[in-house]
Amino acid sequence: MEYCTFTEPQQGSTYDEQLAFARATEAAGFDGFFRSDHYMRMGAGDPLPGPTDAWTTLAGLARETSRIRLGTLVSSATHRLPAVLAIQVAQVDAMSGGRVELGLGTGWFEAEHRAYGIPFPEKRFDLFEEQLQIISGLWRTPVGETFDFDGAAYTLSESPALPKPVQHRVPIIIGGAGPRRTPDLAARYATEYNIGFRPEADIVAAFARVAAACERVDRDPGTLKRSVALPTIAAPDEAQLARRAGATGRSLDEFRDGTNLAGNAGEILERVHRLIEIGAQRIYFQTVDMRDLDQIAYLGAEVLPHLPR
């Protein structure tokens, strides 16, 4: 089992705040720090300080942390050319000593594309699949050989396919609750399948779909890591829980919706154990308030020591 923090810096966090949060994540005993890849705040609220680029941030954190895994949950296929993304991820992997993971998805937040002039095609799954083919192909091309690709969206001719990541295979995370194409792509290209922000019944169904997709392509479902990401607030008492819920823009009753992780250490442990029982092998604790380092310390001291590894 693995346990990671997951953050949304576009909601209002500087690089220095992300650095402090990543260091707190490492000190608390988590296995990884993952962040969203967005360029605009979602919902009402103070837009300052503005967005930070995910892979620029992770490059900095790669040099300022020593143990935790670092990655996106998830980068949008619309944000970067696939060969450029492959170079960026390989470089950050080298900067981290081989601790990087690439979460990649189709992209969905149309407003940020309009705001920053990023093309947002109506149909994005084919684009997403070509990116997976190109990134995987570039990384696995032997040194000294070249990589070619002729697709509907991208063409690469005699690419030197460099640089190579430090890791033999950079983990690729594909997530979502789609009934067909998402599990099919995860079975073909991913090392991890993630389902987030869904009740337990939906998680069970999604895990079953991706296992069936693996079997259709003659892949052992046991070779595909399964993970769950859920919004989290944790505290020893109701007053602190209410304050932390308020920092997310919701009341405590609203946050306790039966899906999110909310409560004291015992309540969090009970929910996480249920997620493990239904097949999760990695849990992402999504915390929105990155200035609240005490919450990370609480999870590290009162929850993580009592969970299986």
Side-chain angles (χ1 to χ4, degrees):
M1 281 299 302
E2 298 171 319
Y3 309 97
C4 304
T5 59
F6 167 36
T7 67
E8 302 275 355
Q10 78 279 351
Q11 297 303 99
S13 294
T14 65
Y15 170 76
D16 286 341
E17 288 167 341
Q18 292 175 71
L19 173 58
F21 189 94
R23 285 173 168 167
T25 292
E26 191 162 74
F30 285 93
D31 297 295
F33 166 92
F34 287 73
R35 58 154 289 168
S36 59
D37 186 3
H38 286 293
Y39 290 124
M40 195 168 74
R41 180 185 174 89
M42 299 168 192
D46 186 353
L48 296 176
T52 52
D53 180 77
W55 285 101
T56 302
T57 298
L58 293 172
L61 299 182
R63 308 302 293 175
E64 300 286 354
T65 58
S66 61
R67 179 186 58 79
I68 51 174
R69 307 292 295 178
L70 300 166
T72 50
L73 203 66
V74 293
S75 287
S76 171
T78 57
H79 285 173
R80 301 168 186 88
L81 296 171
V84 172
L85 180 58
I87 292 169
Q88 290 175 315
V89 175
Q91 184 175 3
V92 178
D93 194 48
M95 294 169 72
S96 70
R99 293 183 285 124
V100 156
E101 304 190 13
L102 171 62
L104 191 62
T106 58
W108 63 270
F109 191 20
E110 186 176 2
E112 71 182 343
H113 292 73
R114 291 197 306 266
Y116 287 96
I118 302 170
F120 189 74
E122 181 178 352
K123 296 182 178 180
R124 298 180 301 283
F125 260 101
D126 290 344
L127 187 81
F128 177 36
E129 183 168 7
E130 286 195 18
Q131 290 220 352
L132 290 166
Q133 293 172 329
I134 291 167
I135 292 168
S136 299
L138 287 168
W139 286 343
R140 69 169 175 257
T141 298
V143 174
E145 298 184 15
T146 58
F147 175 76
D148 295 274
F149 184 85
D150 186 12
Y154 307 105
T155 301
L156 283 72
S157 178
E158 297 184 4
S159 171
L162 297 171
K164 302 300 183 192
V166 169
Q167 297 175 87
H168 173 69
R169 183 178 184 184
V170 172
I172 293 179
I173 305 163
I174 294 177
R180 185 178 64 85
R181 292 202 70 177
T182 297
D184 285 349
L185 291 175
R188 292 168 58 194
Y189 298 105
T191 58
E192 176 181 330
Y193 169 75
N194 175 261
I195 177 79
F197 319 112
R198 298 291 181 125
E200 290 177 17
D202 290 358
I203 295 169
V204 171
F207 284 170
R209 286 193 297 268
V210 80
C214 286
E215 291 170 355
R216 286 195 295 271
V217 295
D218 295 322
R219 176 177 180 177
D220 178 2
T223 65
L224 181 63
K225 185 185 297 182
R226 291 157 296 176
S227 66
V228 176
L230 291 174
T232 302
I233 56 169
D237 58 66
E238 293 293 293
Q240 290 186 64
L241 283 172
R243 178 177 59 79
R244 285 179 171 145
T248 73
R250 286 176 279 183
S251 69
L252 182 54
D253 286 342
E254 289 171 329
F255 201 94
R256 276 187 164 137
D257 62 357
T259 296
N260 300 333
L261 298 175
N264 61 29
E267 292 173 293
I268 299 293
L269 285 167
E270 181 181 355
R271 285 290 314 284
V272 172
H273 279 295
R274 287 210 303 271
L275 293 171
I276 294 170
E277 288 173 2
I278 64 177
Q281 297 163 297
R282 175 184 270 184
I283 307 295
Y284 295 91
F285 298 88
Q286 187 207 42
T287 57
V288 174
D289 186 0
M290 297 186 70
R291 300 173 183 86
D292 189 356
L293 303 184
D294 288 343
Q295 180 170 224
I296 300 304
Y298 178 74
L299 288 167
E302 303 297 334
V303 174
L304 293 187
H306 306 289
L307 289 172
R309 292 285 186 170

